[in-house]
């Protein structure tokens, strides 16, 4: 999965998680995509929770301490993952 360029960061309401959004640039044969990772601030472990193709920006809000809505996709940062290839 491409790493990308950091475009935005948001911290959970309880300050336990940070979500970083990256713009993964397309090349001659592919379009842009947005990838997001969640970082547990207690353990400093990270994992990908969102990757969507044909996107260049991110809009998000925290619905609760553990639930974030990224570009209209609701995700529990503890368990969920959205990958456009699976939908």
């Amino acid at each position: 999965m491409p790493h990308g360029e950091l475009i935005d960061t948001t911290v959970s309401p309880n300050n336990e998680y940070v979500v970083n959004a990256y713009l993964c640039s397309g090349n001659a044969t592919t379009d842009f995509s947005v990838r997001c990772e969640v970082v547990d601030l207690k353990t400093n472990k990270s994992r990908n929770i969102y990757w969507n193709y044909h996107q260049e920006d991110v809009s998000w809000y925290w619905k609760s301490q553990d639930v974030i809505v990224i570009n209209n996709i609701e995700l529990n940062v503890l368990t969920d993952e959205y990958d456009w290839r699976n939908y």
Side-chain angles (χ1 to χ4, degrees), residues 12-83:
S12 65
N14 60 3
N15 293 313
E16 290 185 14
Y17 309 102
V18 63
V19 177
N20 299 312
Y22 298 90
L23 177 62
C24 303
S25 62
N27 56 36
T29 60
T30 61
D31 199 2
F32 288 96
S33 61
V34 171
R35 179 182 70 83
C36 298
E37 68 180 8
V38 62
V39 180
D40 183 323
L41 295 175
K42 290 180 184 176
T43 65
N44 206 33
K45 291 185 179 181
S46 66
R47 69 179 187 84
N48 290 316
I49 61 168
Y50 178 89
W51 187 29
N52 205 359
Y53 193 55
H54 301 298
Q55 282 189 335
E56 295 185 45
D57 57 1
V58 64
S59 76
W60 51 21
Y61 64 91
W62 288 93
K63 193 169 182 179
S64 70
Q65 296 181 76
D66 299 329
V67 176
I68 189 169
V69 179
I70 304 173
N71 294 337
N72 298 318
I73 305 292
E74 186 174 309
L75 300 165
N76 182 310
V77 297
L78 302 173
T79 58
D80 295 339
E81 179 179 300
Y82 176 84
D83 185 329

